[in-house]
Amino acid sequence: MTMLPALANGVRWEWFRLRRRPEFWVIMSLLTLAVLGTLLVSAGAVRLIQSDFSIPPYGYPMLVFELLSRLGPFLAIILAGMVFGSDYGWGTFRPLFARGQRRWQVVAAKLVLAVLALAIVWVVSWALAAAVGLVAASPPTNGLELAPGASGSWTESTGRFASAWPATMAYLMLATLLCAVGRSTAFGLGVGIAVLIVESIAYPAAGAISQLAFEVNLGDYTRWTLWGVTRGLMGRDDDLGAWVFLPAVLAYATVFTGLAVVITERRDVNSGNG
């Protein structure tokens, strides 16, 4: 079997397994409710406020961007645990490898499925936001500027919205690597979520302390960390353009993926690790 048909067959098989897991649909349903709730509450609030305040149609995707940019990494880590890490706990990696595919092909099929699932989340979320924006938005007499440089047109808003997707992919690959290192779903999810929590607390706290106590901008030294490049890509770095960070984000994702493949190729896939 040539590479592409084998990969496509592997993706179909992984989807066959994933779609039978109730927790996957529970997470997707909760995410859908969060997106719809954000849009409907925003549209309703604007209607209730009797003033010149309004959100332009292209502003609604920006509201969903703010949601996905924060939930996306958590979703990616959980999905990596379901698609990749769970085979360690179930002891099902050995039967998968016994089907005749190379180990890297099995890993690739899992990652392609996860990437496609998150891409569908992004496309559907943008479509919902755009539809609500076109239907519910008022003419922008004094429109809300949701983010610097991202409220002037559909093109800018869509570009900013799309930027959260590759940033989320980096955390998907990181969680996959962690699952491979620990040979455990619990290790991958636990360490991955701990990384997110530490990033969200430690970096801002250290930045504030360094600025106040030493008058040093810590952002100059953390800009090219995973936290820094993903924030930069999503337009949260005031000094450089957002897309300057795309090669760095892709490089992180590539390194994490490569290491996960190498570890899976070289190490035993013992079972029962949770």
Side-chain angles (χ1 to χ4, degrees):
M1 186 180 293
T2 59
M3 186 175 69
L4 287 179
L7 180 61
N9 185 59
V11 172
R12 285 194 296 269
W13 170 246
E14 292 298 332
W15 170 238
F16 175 81
R17 300 173 67 207
L18 182 63
R19 71 187 185 187
R20 281 162 173 74
R21 299 188 62 174
E23 58 268 36
F24 172 72
W25 296 111
V26 169
I27 292 172
M28 290 297 105
S29 298
L30 291 175
L31 182 63
T32 302
L33 290 175
V35 170
L36 287 174
T38 299
L39 293 170
L40 296 178
V41 168
S42 301
V46 171
R47 294 292 181 183
L48 291 174
I49 297 175
Q50 302 298 320
S51 70
D52 290 336
F53 174 85
S54 65
I55 300 176
Y58 46 78
Y60 285 87
M62 283 304 302
L63 291 170
V64 178
F65 159 78
E66 294 295 337
L67 175 71
L68 290 181
S69 65
R70 289 165 173 78
L71 292 183
F74 289 96
L75 177 62
I77 289 171
I78 294 171
L79 189 58
M82 285 194 289
V83 173
F84 185 80
S86 59
D87 283 300
Y88 286 108
W90 293 340
T92 48
F93 258 128
R94 290 186 186 278
L96 285 175
F97 294 155
R99 296 172 66 238
Q101 288 182 297
R102 294 282 302 273
R103 290 190 176 195
W104 71 264
Q105 292 176 321
V106 173
V107 175
K110 292 176 175 295
L111 292 179
V112 168
L113 175 62
V115 167
L116 289 175
L118 289 172
I120 291 171
V121 167
W122 252 250
V123 171
V124 171
S125 297
W126 183 89
L128 288 172
V132 171
L134 291 172
V135 171
S138 304
T141 55
N142 185 26
L144 169 66
E145 184 167 329
L146 296 162
S151 61
S153 70
W154 278 105
T155 301
E156 293 178 7
S157 176
T158 301
R160 185 76 179 278
F161 183 92
S163 70
W165 183 77
T168 299
M169 294 305 101
Y171 285 96
L172 171 70
M173 304 313 172
L174 172 62
T176 300
L177 171 60
L178 291 171
C179 288
V181 168
R183 287 181 282 192
S184 165
T185 308
F187 183 87
L189 267 63
V191 176
I193 292 175
V195 167
L196 291 177
I197 294 173
V198 169
E199 284 181 339
S200 64
I201 296 174
Y203 278 109
I209 292 170
S210 64
Q211 187 69 45
L212 293 173
F214 307 107
E215 296 185 354
V216 173
N217 184 8
L218 191 64
D220 294 337
Y221 302 93
T222 60
R223 176 168 289 146
W224 301 105
T225 62
L226 177 62
W227 180 81
V229 297
T230 52
R231 281 177 56 85
L233 179 61
M234 292 185 292
R236 294 184 173 127
D237 188 304
D238 295 332
D239 298 328
L240 298 176
W243 296 105
V244 170
F245 295 95
L246 181 59
V249 172
L250 295 178
Y252 271 106
T254 301
V255 170
F256 293 151
T257 304
L259 290 174
V261 170
V262 169
I263 291 172
T264 306
E265 286 274 4
R266 293 173 178 261
R267 291 175 64 179
D268 185 31
V269 286
N270 59 334
S271 62
N273 288 333

